[in-house]
């Protein structure tokens, strides 16, 4: 393979009820980990795609554990920074009876949010990333960063793309990460202008921009110059746009147990197929196939045997 992906983002510790059918009060919790970009990285690596994860962790034992877990998945962690006197962010997940999930977060000031605070560290990271053919990040990757760090990141992304690198962006809009929607729209608009492959979700784009249909999302993103777009629509499938051509690709219909990482795993399945020479439609089918398996299990990361 002549390609590799560097993924910029944050992974957090995950708390969930040991028995999700029981009341929460006094119930033991289980510890795991997850995060949109890390979920995608794991499924990319399991699919045989050389994957490098770019983030920051603390200097505690839980950060040691996370790093060991990622390396065991075959992910290149050489660009994972370790912040002194820090611990990773954490979230708690609650899954409703229909498989839909909600979250509580403890991530303010997390190591990943400070990844680009130091100029020397930032320059070193950016120099190393120049050797990767593709760079992947999400709206959460952007939303956790302070304004100064965002400005520096966009400068690098511009130079990276001018040098021939390809940028992949999953919108993954989370309102609580932004001061207001207007700020998020400004950042997303700038990001889309630097994107070669966009993997937005209709629900998120509707919430942020007010779009009502996948066609409207594609129209807007193409005006920003995005050449390839896949709008994810959950159980309704996705809409693929490559230039003037548009095609709907149906999802695999299953009964969901937990929709955590549905979009993250779709992205990984799509990218693994697309980068290995599949057509856009074939890649969409691969994304749906992986996502349909993931949502039939509890948690973001399903057993490797599945």
């Amino acid at each position: 393979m002549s390609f590799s992906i560097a993924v910029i983002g944050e992974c957090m510790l995950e708390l969930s009820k040991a028995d999700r059918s029981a009341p929460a009060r006094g119930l033991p919790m289980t510890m795991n980990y997850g995060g949109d970009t890390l979920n995608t990285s794991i499924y990319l690596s399991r699919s045989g795609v050389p994957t490098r994860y770019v983030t920051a962790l603390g200097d505690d034992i839980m950060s040691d554990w996370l790093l060991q877990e990622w390396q065991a998945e075959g992910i290149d962690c050489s660009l994972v920074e370790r912040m002194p006197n820090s611990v990773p962010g954490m979230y708690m997940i609650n899954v409703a009876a229909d498989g839909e999930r909600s979250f509580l977060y403890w991530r303010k000031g997390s190591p990943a949010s400070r990844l680009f605070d130091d100029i020397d560290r930032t320059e070193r990271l950016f120099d190393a990333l120049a050797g990767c053919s593709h760079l992947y990040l999400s709206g959460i990757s952007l939303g956790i960063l302070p304004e100064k760090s965002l400005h520096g990141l966009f400068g690098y992304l511009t130079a990276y793309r001018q040098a021939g690198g390809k940028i992949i962006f999953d919108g993954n809009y989370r309102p609580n990460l932004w001061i207001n929607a207007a700020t998020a729209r400004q950042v997303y608009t700038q990001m889309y202008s630097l994107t070669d492959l966009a993997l937005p979700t209709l629900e998120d784009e509707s919430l942020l921009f007010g779009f009502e249909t996948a066609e409207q999302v594609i129209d807007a993103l193409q005006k920003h110059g995005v050449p390839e777009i896949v709008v994810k629509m959950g159980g309704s499938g996705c809409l693929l746009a490559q230039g003037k051509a548009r095609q709907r690709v149906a999802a695999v219909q299953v009964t969901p147990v937990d929709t955590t990482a549905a979009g993250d795993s779709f992205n990984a399945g799509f990218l693994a197929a697309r980068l290995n020479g599949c057509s856009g439609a074939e890649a969409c089918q691969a994304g749906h196939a992986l996502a349909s398996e993931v949502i039939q299990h509890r948690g973001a990361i399903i057993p490797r045997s599945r």
Side-chain angles (χ1 to χ4, degrees):
M1 282 180 285
S2 59
F3 58 82
S4 61
I5 294 183
V7 180
I8 299 175
E10 179 178 36
C11 176
M12 305 172 71
L13 297 172
E14 176 190 286
L15 282 175
S16 60
K17 293 191 297 182
D19 179 0
R20 300 193 183 192
S21 64
R25 185 176 181 180
L27 189 70
M29 306 293 286
T30 60
M31 176 72 75
N32 211 313
Y33 58 87
D36 64 334
T37 51
L38 190 278
N39 301 337
T40 298
S41 296
I42 288 177
Y43 290 122
L44 280 169
S45 181
R46 290 184 180 183
S47 299
V49 176
T51 305
R52 174 179 286 186
Y53 197 48
V54 185
T55 191
L57 291 172
D59 55 357
D60 60 302
I61 60 172
M62 297 308 296
S63 294
D64 294 341
W65 172 65
L66 289 174
L67 199 59
Q68 293 168 2
E69 289 287 305
W70 305 346
Q71 291 170 334
E73 288 285 355
I75 296 172
D76 182 343
C77 296
S78 60
L79 295 182
V80 175
E81 295 290 323
R82 303 296 295 270
M83 302 286 192
N85 303 313
S86 300
V87 295
M90 183 172 65
Y91 67 93
M92 187 171 73
I93 183 171
N94 182 63
V95 181
D98 62 358
E100 286 299 318
R101 75 276 192 232
S102 59
F103 301 90
L104 290 174
Y105 291 96
W106 296 268
R107 77 189 324 163
K108 185 176 181 180
S110 67
S113 70
R114 295 180 278 126
L115 179 60
F116 302 119
D117 283 0
D118 181 83
I119 294 177
D120 291 338
R121 179 173 62 238
T122 300
E123 290 181 350
R124 175 168 48 83
L125 286 173
F126 288 168
D127 287 344
L129 289 174
C132 294
S133 61
H134 294 75
L135 190 59
Y136 177 103
L137 66 164
S138 76
I140 295 177
S141 308
L142 303 178
I144 65 173
L145 299 177
E147 183 178 355
K148 184 178 179 180
S149 296
L150 269 177
H151 179 76
L153 178 61
F154 280 132
Y156 168 72
L157 294 177
T158 300
Y160 173 84
R161 199 169 185 232
Q162 289 173 344
K166 301 296 184 182
I167 296 176
I168 304 162
F169 181 59
D170 173 10
N172 215 0
Y173 173 57
R174 296 295 179 267
N176 62 346
L177 293 179
W178 300 92
I179 297 174
N180 51 53
T183 299
R185 283 192 291 269
Q186 181 180 8
V187 171
Y188 273 58
T189 297
Q190 187 173 359
M191 185 66 230
Y192 279 129
S193 71
L194 296 170
T195 298
D196 295 285
L197 169 59
L199 297 166
T201 299
L202 176 58
E203 182 179 1
D204 292 342
E205 299 298 304
S206 298
L207 183 60
L208 180 57
F209 292 102
F211 299 128
E212 297 180 354
T213 66
E215 288 79 4
Q216 290 176 339
V217 176
I218 289 173
D219 290 341
L221 268 55
Q222 287 184 333
K223 288 180 180 178
H224 295 308
V226 184
E228 185 167 358
I229 305 161
V230 180
V231 182
K232 304 186 291 286
M233 299 180 290
S236 298
C238 65
L239 182 61
L240 166 71
Q242 296 170 300
K244 295 182 179 180
R246 300 185 183 186
Q247 181 178 352
R248 288 185 177 271
V249 181
V252 179
Q253 297 302 315
V254 298
T255 300
V257 173
D258 182 352
T259 58
T260 303
D264 308 333
S265 56
F266 173 93
N267 293 349
F270 175 90
L271 290 170
R274 195 79 178 94
L275 293 174
N276 277 293
C278 291
S279 68
E282 290 170 334
C284 288
Q285 292 170 345
H288 286 318
L290 179 53
S292 70
E293 184 65 42
V294 169
I295 65 175
Q296 293 181 77
H297 298 79
R298 297 288 188 186
I301 308 301
I302 67 173
R304 184 184 292 270
S305 61
R306 299 300 301 173

